[in-house]
Amino acid sequence: MNPRALSAAVLAVAALLAALLVSAPGGTTPAAAPAAPDGFRVSDSGRLVESDDSDFVMRGVNLGHAWYPGRTGASMADVKSLGANTVRVALGTGDRWTRSDPADVAAVVERCRANRLICVLDVHDTTGYGEESGAVPLSRAVDYWIGVRSALKGQERYVIINIANEPYGRTGASGWTTDTKAAVQKLRAAGFTHTLMVDAPDWGQDRTFTMRDNAASVLAADPERNTVFSVHMYGVFDTAAEVRAYLSHFVAARLPVVVGEFGHEHTDGDPDEEAVLATAEDLGVGYLGWSWSGNTDGVEYLDMAAGFDPAALTTWGRRIFHGANGIAATAKEASVYADAGASVPDRSPAASRHLP
């Protein structure tokens, strides 16, 4: 560029800057407005909030879609009728259980929306990795989510992605922090902006406090700062003091936490379900009981409804739905469904949008 041309270019830029300064209030250059959040996010106070900044506290149950896909739609309608605002839905990668493909995932999300429920989707094939035969690593769950992302794009206001169910047994829990950070970052690099949920090691119960002591660094490693921590409360949490100490640690540290599974009995001890319910309500922490129906292999006592029948609630089912601090008394529907007349967009497999 010659000197004359350079001088003209400088003058042109100066004139443009002057015009911007004059047009801006107070003589300052206006800053670009930040993009409005679209979907759930973690607030600075460590709360899970919706797009309108309202708190969302999960109150719901787990559904075994990976094993009973034909029951999912009716089960969602039943738990909604009993007051739930959320369902956690078990999916399969195809490694241990039948793969929930994009069409299946899209149908699950559509059913959630039709029933005005928030969907927490989890991959169950990782359960007990390192101890359980056939369990797959956390990285395999990440690859699965990337493979079904076409069913999830645009669903950030309705879907929370629980990356992997109980991704470690008691073996290898020391790798949880590094592996979880890598999983979150890979999903973000793949374009996922959803709220992510991560399970604790030690079969979800964080017996070693690995998740508790490293949660802050995992949240900081998420470019979106939009990760929720899920602890499963069974035999490890058999006293009210243990339940309160664990959940209070997260709340005091402004770290988002939810009880992603719990029951009233378990093979590894007697969980204090009364403390879970009361403490969660007191602290404003979400909970998702295990599970609606269909349990086998000696834990049938965890069914809330006998034979998937909402008219045949078990003792556990009656407790979690109708007891003090239970779902019916404490659940509030997600604000995204506030317009009672809003229609549910067509999210059938045929109508599902695919990413380029």
Side-chain angles (χ1 to χ4, degrees):
M1 181 179 290
N2 63 47
R4 181 176 297 175
L6 179 59
S7 178
V10 170
L11 289 173
V13 171
L16 177 59
L17 289 174
L20 288 172
L21 288 170
V22 169
S23 62
T28 58
T29 303
D38 184 20
F40 288 99
R41 62 182 174 82
V42 173
S43 71
D44 292 340
S45 60
R47 307 290 299 172
L48 180 65
V49 298
E50 296 190 65
S51 296
D52 63 357
D53 291 327
S54 60
D55 271 15
F56 182 72
V57 180
M58 297 181 202
R59 291 286 183 263
V61 303
N62 284 263
L63 302 180
H65 178 75
W67 311 288
Y68 304 102
R71 298 280 193 174
T72 301
S75 295
M76 286 185 185
D78 291 336
V79 300
K80 177 64 177 181
S81 71
L82 291 167
N85 64 17
T86 306
V87 285
R88 180 172 180 255
V89 184
L91 305 177
T93 65
D95 294 287
R96 295 178 72 184
W97 293 289
T98 301
R99 183 173 185 265
S100 303
D101 62 19
D104 185 45
V105 175
V108 167
V109 175
E110 181 185 16
R111 290 175 191 139
C112 277
R113 293 182 62 174
N115 286 288
R116 304 169 70 90
L117 292 163
I118 296 304
C119 252
V120 176
L121 303 177
D122 85 86
V123 159
H124 239 69
D125 304 61
T126 54
T127 306
Y129 178 71
E131 289 183 44
E132 184 77 2
S133 177
V136 297
L138 184 58
S139 58
R140 174 65 180 150
V142 173
D143 292 339
Y144 167 79
W145 292 116
I146 292 172
V148 299
R149 61 183 179 174
S150 61
L152 299 170
K153 183 181 180 182
Q155 301 302 314
E156 292 83 357
R157 292 185 295 166
Y158 308 94
V159 172
I160 293 170
I161 298 174
N162 189 179
I163 303 176
N165 183 68
E166 301 179 0
Y168 297 91
R170 296 179 187 174
T171 302
S174 60
W176 179 89
T177 304
T178 298
D179 292 349
T180 300
K181 288 178 181 178
V184 169
Q185 291 172 345
K186 187 171 181 178
L187 287 172
R188 296 303 187 207
F192 287 86
T193 59
H194 304 69
T195 294
L196 302 177
M197 184 182 291
V198 295
D199 279 11
D202 305 310
W203 295 91
Q205 297 199 75
D206 206 19
R207 186 186 299 268
T208 58
F209 295 140
T210 300
M211 183 174 80
R212 186 198 70 177
D213 295 344
N214 293 281
S217 69
V218 171
L219 182 61
D222 178 0
E224 298 282 334
R225 302 295 191 273
N226 195 15
T227 298
V228 173
F229 301 92
S230 173
V231 63
H232 295 179
M233 291 188 161
Y234 293 110
V236 170
F237 294 92
D238 56 358
T239 69
E242 289 169 323
V243 171
R244 178 163 286 275
Y246 191 90
L247 296 179
S248 294
H249 175 90
F250 281 81
V251 173
R254 297 186 175 185
L255 294 168
V257 66
V258 64
V259 183
E261 289 185 18
F262 73 107
H264 67 308
E265 295 181 42
H266 207 260
T267 53
D268 69 344
D270 183 12
D272 191 339
E273 73 278 7
E274 295 297 331
V276 173
L277 291 161
T279 305
E281 178 61 16
D282 182 43
L283 298 178
V285 168
Y287 64 69
L288 301 166
W290 187 275
S291 72
W292 176 240
S293 197
N295 288 285
T296 59
D297 299 328
V299 293
E300 290 84 355
Y301 53 79
L302 286 171
D303 279 4
M304 297 171 185
F308 294 89
D309 184 356
L313 293 183
T314 63
T315 299
W316 174 220
R318 290 192 298 273
R319 174 64 194 90
I320 192 169
F321 281 105
H322 300 308
N325 303 305
I327 291 170
T330 65
K332 294 182 180 179
E333 187 175 78
S335 64
V336 72
Y337 297 119
D339 182 359
S343 61
V344 178
D346 183 3
R347 293 294 299 173
S348 62
S352 180
R353 286 186 297 136
H354 292 263
L355 295 174

